[in-house]
Structure formats: structure tokens, C-alpha cells
Amino acid sequence: MTTFAIGVDLGGTNLRIAAIDSNGKVLEKTTTSTEVARGRDFVIDEMCAAIQSTTLKFRASGKFAGIGVGVPGIIEMQTGMVRESPNLPGWHDYPVRDEIERRLRTTVVLENDANAAALGEKWLGAGANVDDMCMLTLGTGVGGGIVLKGQVWHGMTGMAGELGHINVAPNGPPCNCGSCGCLEQLASATAIKRMAVEAIATGKAPELARAMNSEPEFSSKVVHQMAMQGDEGAREIFRKVGDALGVVLADLINIFNLPIYVIGGGVSSGWDAFAPAMMERIRKNSFVYRATAPAENARGVQGSHVPDDALPARRTTIITRALLGSDAGLIGAARLPMIMGQSAEPEAELKRA
Ligand SMILES: [Zn+2]
């Protein structure tokens, strides 16, 4: 009999739910909009109803491991509370885990959404062949997750791995977290659009200005397309994105010396536009990288999937794109109840006590 779990990805815009078995097979996947404006009780009601109907469908066909929920914002593992979430206003200090457990009478594991995405890539994606990895998720904001020995590194309370708020420019643009010049302000979709607007204001980016006036949905995607078409203004923005990512990755490589660093999220589709500047910065800033870099001519190493035989006697640092796309968080969330109890961290026991 197979085991299955329910993964929930609760975003500020979409609520996604999937039933996934222990082999990683997605049995069912649904997406509905998150009506955050109607309040958290409404969202929790909708979520629980959707979880229940999905669970019932598969309950007879396998052993049910539980529910994993990925939420944006910083969470406290021990209490199962969302401590702060810009995307979920009104959820501050709300006992999300206990509320869902009370309504569904089953085990719920709460996790930060970017941590869940890192766990998903570790299980079935770019990190499937390694024990330890680190992931940056470049979307509206920038999320991060560190997975060590197959488990999310939580730190003391569950808030570790906020890699999007590593500082790159202390006097840079203000960040939602209260700091200035965080990676999130230099490498997110929001940041790319802001930098384009700034470039247009200087009068030195005429093609970007034309695009903004003609495209009703002027976004980071448009800036990416223009960079790939060779527009210098757009290319400069992606060089800045790459440089900021390189600064942070060089630091992470120096700190952790992990075998793989994965970049996911919507902005990662702009890999070809930002990767050259990113790799240049990493080579310049990180002596650990230079000592562990793959051979220059090794095709398909940086930026594509790691083949099974890519871990030779001489171990190298791999920096690569994520493989699971927008499903990473959902898959990782479903993985949470499956590996619960395998953690070496005491909080897993504490939480249940
Ligand atoms: Zn920040």
C-alpha cells in the first residue's frame, strides 16, 4: 500500500492543493484563487474544504501521511504560527497549524513557502542527487531555503534561510522587511520592473520607454524579452540582477560549501540574461567557488540538470536552474508530513509534545 500526503501552497494570489504519493507521483492538483480580502477565516474554511475533498478521494487507495502547508512569511515552528506575512495581512500571530488541525483532525506541518520549494527540488528536482542544497526562489519577492541532510534547516524558531533579505547594498532601495538593499530589492520580478522604470526616468533607455508605453502589462517578462533581443537598457538591468545574485551566492558558497545551489521562481527563466554576470561575480568574490568550480568546458554543468555521474572524485560546486517550476513548493509541502519525525532537530519532537 502506498502512502500519500496533501501538499498546500498558500500564496497571496493562489491556493494550490495536490495529493502526492510517496514515489512523488502527483495524483491530483487543483488551483483556486486566494480571496485574502475576505479574511483569514474565510481562506482557512475554503482551504480545509478543498483539503478534505481531495483527501477523501484518495483515502481508500493508500495510507494517509498528513498535510503540509507552505505559507509566505516567517513562521514559528514550535507554535505553528505565522509571525509576519506581507502577502497575508491579518494573519499575524495566528495559530494556522492548530486551526487546520482542529478542523480536519489530522497532522499538519507548517512551513515557509520557499523552504517548501527547496525541499521539493531536493526530493524530485535539481537537488535529487545530493544530500545538501540551497535554493533561491526569484518571484515577486525572493525566497530562500537551505536543506541539509534532506531536511529543511530551520534554525532556532523556523525562520532560518531568509536568503532574499541578505544585504547586497546597505544604502540601496528600501525593503519590505525594514532593511535596505536586500537581494529581494535587486533580483525579484518587482525589482526588475522598478529598475526599468528608473532607467526610463533617466532618459537613457528609449526602447524600454517605448515598450512601457505600448505594453499594457509591462513587467519583468517584457524586460527579459528585450534583453534577449539585445536592448542595452534591458541587458544592463539583467546584469545588475546577475551581479546581486552573484554577491549573495558567493557568500553562501563561502559559508556552506554545498554541492549545489538552485535558482527557481519565475525570474529564473531569465537565466541566460543574468547568469553571465552572476558567474563572473561568483568567480571574483568566492575563493571557495574558484577552488571547487567545474571544468570550464564541461558542457551542461552550470545551468542545466546535474547528471547522475556529475559527482566525480573531485567534487565541484554546481549552480543550476530549478527543475520543478511553480510546482516545487506544492511538492515540497506534500513531502513534509512524509519525512516528519526523521528530523534530527529537537523541534520536531517539541512541536508534538
Ligand atoms: Zn529585506
Side-chain angles (χ1 to χ4, degrees):
M1 203 178 193
T2 58
T3 302
F4 78 100
I6 301 287
V8 180
D9 186 8
L10 174 62
T13 320
N14 286 319
L15 171 68
R16 305 174 67 221
I17 294 176
I20 299 174
D21 75 15
S22 50
N23 298 317
K25 189 179 167 209
V26 178
L27 307 169
E28 188 177 88
K29 193 163 72 171
T30 56
T31 303
T32 53
S33 61
T34 314
E35 295 181 60
V36 174
R38 296 182 70 171
R40 69 180 187 216
D41 291 334
F42 178 83
V43 173
I44 295 272
D45 280 343
E46 294 277 287
M47 188 200 306
C48 287
I51 291 170
Q52 208 150 27
S53 70
T54 308
T55 312
L56 280 173
K57 250 183 246 176
F58 299 100
R59 198 137 210 179
S61 57
K63 186 172 169 285
F64 181 53
I67 300 160
V69 184
V71 293
I74 50 174
I75 60 166
E76 196 170 71
M77 295 301 289
Q78 206 172 333
T79 56
M81 282 191 191
V82 174
R83 289 303 299 274
E84 224 178 289
S85 176
N87 294 325
L88 299 172
W91 291 56
H92 175 71
D93 286 349
Y94 177 66
V96 185
R97 187 191 65 213
D98 290 357
E99 271 305 312
I100 306 172
E101 284 190 340
R102 189 176 63 79
R103 291 177 205 213
L104 298 177
R105 294 190 199 87
T106 184
T107 306
V108 174
V109 188
L110 199 66
E111 185 57 271
N112 166 271
D113 56 356
N115 283 350
L119 190 64
E121 287 289 337
K122 163 69 194 82
W123 184 27
L124 301 174
N129 296 327
V130 296
D131 291 330
D132 312 315
M133 61 165 269
C134 183
M135 179 169 171
L136 290 168
T137 303
L138 315 179
T140 312
V142 174
I146 301 160
V147 178
L148 301 177
K149 305 267 173 282
Q151 296 274 348
V152 173
W153 176 256
H154 285 129
M156 177 178 64
T157 57
M159 300 172 192
E162 284 295 336
L163 310 179
H165 300 281
I166 292 180
N167 203 273
V168 180
N171 299 311
C175 185
N176 297 327
C177 73
S179 182
C180 289
C182 296
L183 180 64
E184 178 163 299
Q185 295 307 319
L186 298 158
S188 62
T190 317
I192 291 168
K193 189 178 172 184
R194 190 204 69 238
M195 287 190 276
V197 171
E198 286 167 1
I200 291 163
T202 65
K204 289 175 188 162
E207 290 301 322
L208 280 173
R210 250 191 292 278
M212 191 167 74
N213 289 330
S214 63
E215 289 270 351
E217 298 266 316
F218 184 71
S219 66
S220 63
K221 281 197 189 101
V222 176
V223 183
H224 175 227
Q225 280 162 11
M226 293 180 64
M228 295 320 285
Q229 286 159 14
D231 176 66
E232 194 42 43
R235 281 166 56 105
E236 178 57 22
I237 290 168
F238 273 86
R239 275 197 291 271
K240 285 182 185 162
V241 170
D243 193 63
L245 284 168
V247 167
V248 166
L249 284 164
D251 287 347
L252 292 171
I253 292 165
N254 285 352
I255 297 167
F256 289 110
N257 185 210
L258 301 178
I260 184 165
Y261 301 81
V262 179
I263 299 180
V267 174
S268 68
S269 61
W271 177 275
D272 290 341
F274 66 70
M278 176 180 80
M279 293 312 302
E280 192 185 328
R281 175 56 70 186
I282 292 170
R283 272 184 222 107
K284 198 170 169 201
N285 285 24
S286 172
F287 62 162
V288 175
Y289 181 77
R290 291 195 300 274
T292 58
E296 289 288 329
N297 60 356
R299 287 253 335 128
V301 174
Q302 305 296 27
S304 61
H305 184 42
V306 195
D308 289 336
D309 57 2
L311 297 172
R314 178 181 173 269
R315 294 193 167 176
T316 56
T317 301
I318 306 292
I319 298 150
T320 189
R321 285 180 68 172
L323 294 178
L324 303 178
S326 58
D327 282 348
L330 199 56
I331 288 168
R335 182 68 171 158
L336 291 164
M338 296 182 196
I339 60 171
M340 199 181 61
Q342 293 172 18
S343 174
E345 295 172 62
E347 80 213 19
E349 274 73 48
L350 262 178
K351 204 187 84 176
R352 296 288 129 202

